[in-house]
Amino acid sequence: MFFLSLSVGSAANPNDVIKLKVNDAVFDVELENNSATQELMKTLKNGNVTINASDYGNFEKVGELGFSLPTNDENVNTAPGDIVLYQGNHISLFYDSHSWSYTKIGKIQNVDSNQLKNVLGSGDVKLTLSLK
């Protein structure tokens, strides 16, 4: 099992960056500017959010948030490093590509798919979202 931590800035403006930590690996994630990221950041002001994520379809790790966020779904062709909201209450972290209707949350910067696959491993991961 891996530990994943997202540190989020104070507002969801274009080019806001969060930190993504998986064990000792830390990645920068550039946030989208939408109502989902704005509400997520408001929620995180009240404390951390932990997500137990499982592998799905050999292309993503997905887990339930425990609450809902506003959706801005659009047909998205995901790529490794994309983080999206699915059905308003699930977070998906992609290590391969897929196409579906999602709300974009952000994108990991400067990571290739092999590096991301190695960090995530083949089993379940624990994601913890927190403010800086």
Side-chain angles (χ1 to χ4, degrees), residues 30-45:
E30 187 171 337
L31 289 179
E32 293 290 320
N33 182 17
N34 60 39
S35 59
T37 58
Q38 292 164 2
E39 286 301 313
L40 176 61
M41 292 169 69
K42 287 179 187 176
T43 300
L44 291 174
K45 288 180 182 178

Side-chain angles (χ1 to χ4, degrees), residues 99-129:
S99 180
W100 200 257
S101 184
Y102 301 112
T103 296
K104 294 179 184 180
I105 297 295
K107 174 115 179 128
I108 298 173
Q109 302 299 294
N110 303 317
V111 67
D112 66 43
S113 61
N114 289 330
Q115 179 186 14
L116 192 55
K117 284 181 189 178
N118 288 338
V119 170
L120 292 173
S122 60
D124 294 350
V125 293
K126 182 183 279 188
L127 296 79
T128 300
L129 290 73

Side-chain angles (χ1 to χ4, degrees), residues 85-101:
L85 179 66
Y86 174 64
Q87 293 185 337
N89 62 354
H90 290 77
I91 291 289
S92 294
L93 170 57
F94 287 87
Y95 59 85
D96 207 339
S97 60
H98 186 63
S99 180
W100 200 257
S101 184

